[in-house]
Amino acid sequence: AVEDGVCEVALLPLENSFSGEVGKVYDLIFSGNLYVNDIYAVETADSTTRYAVLSRIDSAPEAGCGEESILVMFTVKDEVGGLAKAINIISAYDFNMRVMRSRPMKDLPWHYYFYAELAGDCSAESADRLIRALRASCPVVKLAGRFTGGKTVSVY
């Protein structure tokens, strides 16, 4: 509905501390035209679930609102050290990798894409430099969103 313009945003679960990741949401972000504009953690008595706020617009977070993060999705060349090259690029551009996940690509058996949440200087200029560097080594690179971290809601 968001991609079709029927809704402005969608709030979808990314992962749950008890059940794990919600792969269909990661796949939607990778293959669709949606951006993660924020992430919230909702705590209950039994578990914590992280939700992504998705929209058609990649909106930069407001300055001074907490630690900045970017979400990058990418594929690597099927060669020795392919993933290591991508990780080294992320490190070389002074980003801290807080989360990394791999997901199978539906159209290429035994090939994967990677989802990484990176913390650091997430200004447009800094993020653009990182994306350009990753594109030099990675066949597919998508800046999937930007947000400020640290939002937790407790529900008991």
Side-chain angles (χ1 to χ4, degrees):
V2 173
E3 281 188 320
D4 293 339
V6 175
C7 300
E8 291 297 317
V9 298
L11 183 67
L12 297 176
L14 283 177
E15 64 180 327
N16 177 273
S17 61
F18 183 76
S19 302
E21 71 180 39
V22 183
K24 288 184 179 184
V25 176
Y26 287 97
D27 294 345
L28 176 67
I29 297 167
F30 180 71
S31 62
N33 293 316
L34 297 175
Y35 297 94
V36 176
N37 290 310
D38 221 334
I39 292 183
Y40 291 90
V42 177
E43 295 178 342
T44 64
D46 299 330
S47 66
T48 301
T49 302
R50 294 177 73 225
Y51 290 90
V53 178
L54 302 168
S55 76
R56 288 171 289 150
I57 300 167
D58 178 21
S59 63
E62 293 180 32
C65 293
E67 184 179 53
E68 296 178 330
S69 298
I70 60 172
L71 306 179
V72 179
M73 297 176 128
F74 58 92
T75 62
V76 297
K77 294 177 183 172
D78 188 10
E79 63 186 20
V80 173
L83 180 57
K85 287 178 187 176
I87 292 171
N88 287 336
I89 290 168
I90 291 167
S91 176
Y93 283 81
D94 295 324
F95 284 94
N96 178 33
M97 189 180 318
R98 291 191 316 212
V99 174
M100 183 172 196
R101 305 237 188 281
S102 65
R103 294 278 307 149
M105 296 183 67
K106 306 300 182 208
D107 55 341
L108 289 171
W110 309 115
H111 287 80
Y112 300 85
Y113 72 85
F114 298 89
Y115 166 98
E117 289 183 24
L118 311 176
D121 173 10
C122 298
S123 65
E125 181 180 313
S126 183
D128 288 346
R129 282 194 311 264
L130 172 66
I131 296 302
R132 280 193 304 273
L134 283 170
R135 284 190 174 134
S137 293
C138 301
V140 175
V141 178
K142 178 180 180 178
L143 177 59
R146 295 180 258 204
F147 67 97
T148 54
K151 296 175 186 79
T152 301
V153 178
S154 296
V155 181
Y156 293 100

